[in-house]
């Protein structure tokens, strides 16, 4: 096939046209590997396949927080998020709102030594609330790049408690 292509070019174009065509084709071929290297592949340009996330990673993804936020290993401890959210302009509120971030400090009923961070899904008249987050009990589904998101009920009412906080994004 290569020979028939060259034959077609030599019969169809004069010497000057062949040189110009050859130079352009060589330039194009020389650029091709660079183009392929620089252009993102479709799998890279799109979001990656969902993975099992830590609770903090889900919150980072859901609220589109800067990447550096997730690299801090202290943010595995829910209480460390208060200073981070405050520095990003988030506002601490006294009562939960659907869609707000909830930080449950260490040993809040249903959590362990690291506490938990999630998003408020619903608020019940009893003061308990549904928490949407990753890596917790419940039937898992995929959302914001995490395949282990679920909704679960808080272990206690928020009424009169000081071991949790609620946060809204900046205005």
């Amino acid at each position: 096939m290569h020979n028939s292509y060259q034959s077609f070019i030599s019969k169809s174009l004069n010497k000057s046209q062949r040189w110009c065509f050859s130079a352009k084709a060589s330039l194009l071929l020389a650029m091709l590997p660079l183009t392929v290297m620089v252009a993102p592949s479709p799998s890279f340009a799109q979001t990656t396949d969902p993975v099992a996330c830590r609770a903090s990673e889900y919150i980072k993804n859901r609220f589109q927080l800067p990447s550096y936020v997730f690299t801090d290993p202290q943010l595995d401890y829910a209480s460390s998020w208060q200073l981070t959210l405050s520095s990003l302009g988030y506002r601490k509120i006294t009562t939960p709102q659907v869609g707000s971030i909830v930080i449950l400090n260490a040993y809040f009923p249903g959590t362990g030594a690291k506490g938990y961070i999630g998003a408020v899904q619903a608020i019940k008249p009893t003061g308990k609330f549904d928490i949407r987050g990753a890596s917790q009990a419940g039937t898992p589904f995929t959302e914001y790049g995490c395949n282990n998101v679920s909704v679960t009920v808080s272990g206690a009412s928020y009424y009169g408690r000081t071991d949790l906080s609620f946060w809204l994004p900046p205005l």
Side-chain angles (χ1 to χ4, degrees), residues 87-107:
S87 72
L88 293 171
Y90 279 68
R91 299 168 287 126
K92 187 175 180 177
I93 55 176
T94 56
T95 57
Q97 291 184 22
V98 172
S100 62
I101 295 174
V102 59
I103 298 172
L104 306 173
N105 292 342
Y107 302 109

Side-chain angles (χ1 to χ4, degrees), residues 2 13 16 51 57 72 75 140 155:
H2 182 66
L13 303 174
S16 175
V51 297
E57 185 175 12
D72 183 351
L75 292 180

Side-chain angles (χ1 to χ4, degrees), residues 9-150:
I9 295 297
S10 64
K11 290 178 185 174
S12 303
L13 303 174
N14 66 34
K15 185 176 180 181
S16 175
Q17 291 171 322
R18 281 194 307 265
W19 181 88
C20 184
F21 178 81
S22 176
K24 287 180 181 177
S26 295
L27 181 61
L28 180 63
L29 290 174
M31 289 174 49
L32 185 60
L34 180 62
T35 305
V36 171
M37 273 189 345
V38 174
S41 67
S43 61
F44 178 78
Q46 298 170 358
T47 57
T48 58
D49 290 334
V51 297
C53 297
R54 298 187 315 225
S56 56
E57 185 175 12
Y58 170 73
I59 292 299
K60 180 192 85 63
N61 294 350
R62 179 181 172 128
F63 290 90
Q64 300 176 355
L65 299 175
S67 294
Y68 73 85
V69 167
F70 186 61
T71 61
D72 183 351
Q74 288 300 311
L75 292 180
D76 277 345
Y77 294 88
S79 60
S80 299
W81 274 91
Q82 293 185 39
L83 184 58
T84 300
L85 291 175
S86 180
S87 72
L88 293 171
Y90 279 68
R91 299 168 287 126
K92 187 175 180 177
I93 55 176
T94 56
T95 57
Q97 291 184 22
V98 172
S100 62
I101 295 174
V102 59
I103 298 172
L104 306 173
N105 292 342
Y107 302 109
F108 181 89
T111 71
K114 292 184 176 183
Y116 191 77
I117 185 166
V120 176
Q121 173 81 18
I123 305 153
K124 303 183 180 309
T126 61
K128 288 189 173 189
F129 46 94
D130 291 347
I131 304 168
R132 187 180 196 111
S135 192
Q136 66 177 355
T139 304
F141 55 91
T142 300
E143 182 177 71
Y144 297 105
C146 301
N147 65 11
N148 60 337
V149 177
S150 61

